[in-house]
Amino acid sequence: MKVPVIRQFFENSTPEQLNATLEVLEAFCEFRGVSDAEVDLAGEMITNICGALEVHESVNGGLEPREALNAFSAKVMGSIDR
């Protein structure tokens, strides 16, 4: 997870665009000829896209974008510390 990447996805993409990209990356990971390194990279992108989607949901729920990003980051860091 990289917060700067999540911020860029949030600021520059609609939830619809992010969901479409997510579907393509998930399908890509299922191809037989995909290497482990490619799956790892796609997995990192999927993680960041899911983060951006969660930030979009928080902003739609009334949070300011900066607060939504900080809350998402704190939530992830909190789950890692457990």
Side-chain angles (χ1 to χ4, degrees):
M1 176 197 80
K2 296 182 179 172
V3 174
V5 174
I6 292 170
R7 183 183 319 116
Q8 285 294 321
F9 283 158
F10 166 73
E11 291 174 347
N12 298 314
S13 304
T14 66
E16 293 79 17
Q17 292 170 321
L18 293 170
N19 279 315
T21 304
L22 190 61
E23 289 177 23
V24 169
L25 287 171
E26 288 172 343
F28 172 78
C29 289
E30 295 175 9
F31 295 152
R32 263 196 261 179
V34 177
S35 71
D36 288 342
E38 291 169 325
V39 170
D40 289 344
L41 178 60
E44 179 70 20
M45 297 300 294
I46 288 169
T47 300
N48 291 324
I49 290 169
C50 289
L53 285 168
E54 191 164 325
V55 171
H56 270 292
E57 286 179 21
S58 295
V59 169
N60 288 341
L63 285 179
E64 292 294 320
R66 182 178 176 108
E67 292 173 346
L69 280 163
N70 288 338
F72 175 76
S73 182
K75 177 178 157 183
V76 170
M77 296 307 290
S79 69
I80 292 172
D81 291 339
R82 291 183 190 180

